[in-house]
Amino acid sequence: NDADRFDNICFGISPTEVVAMDPQQRLVLEEGYRALHESSLDRLSVFGSGTGVNVGIYALEFSKVIADGPLARSVYASTGASLSIASGRTSFILGLQGPCAAFETACSAALVAFHAAACALRRHECALHLATGINLMLLQSSSVGMSIAGMTSNAGRCHTFDSRADGFARGEGCI
């Protein structure tokens, strides 16, 4: 909900740039900021630190939204619609200087991002790591395509890897 609402002033992003930003990037910034505060940290305490940022991010639908409208000519269109920018933008705005990466592995993107963060912490590449996963489906065509392919549940609950499964991953094993 409210993916279209964003406090650009808090993050120092111009209104012109915000309209060309994928809502996923906005949510990653907001949730990253929230995670810091819920961990009793603030921007000043981590600014300039070697804190890492990993983002598991999948859907690239915003590039289609931009390409089909007047924002295609925006100087911010390429960064606003790029998956890899989500982690870098978060690092830059929060002043974090640790390892930074975006992972696009479809359904396991968040899991891979968390795994990479845990590995970086174990190898002492950083003392703190911000890891998150995001996937906003903005176009009906994605949901329709997944439904036609039988990847969605008729009941609205997939029960993945469970005998009650009625979506793409059924109890018989991996497809």
Side-chain angles (χ1 to χ4, degrees), residues 24-113:
Q24 295 181 122
Q25 291 184 25
R26 300 177 207 163
L27 288 171
V28 167
L29 280 169
E30 290 172 336
E31 294 305 313
Y33 192 69
R34 181 190 308 192
L36 288 176
H37 282 278
E38 289 179 0
S39 299
S40 299
L41 299 169
D42 60 22
R43 264 182 161 164
L44 290 176
S45 65
V46 296
F47 191 86
S49 73
T51 301
V53 176
N54 281 1
V55 176
I57 187 166
Y58 171 59
L60 188 56
E61 295 179 0
F62 193 71
S63 63
K64 175 80 169 128
V65 171
I66 283 185
D68 292 343
L71 291 175
R73 294 183 305 272
S74 169
V75 296
Y76 300 111
S78 60
T79 57
S82 172
L83 297 180
S84 64
I85 296 297
S87 58
R89 186 185 298 273
T90 302
S91 287
F92 178 76
I93 288 176
L94 297 178
L96 309 177
Q97 298 180 5
C100 171
F103 297 88
E104 191 280 291
T105 62
C107 297
S108 63
L111 179 63
V112 172

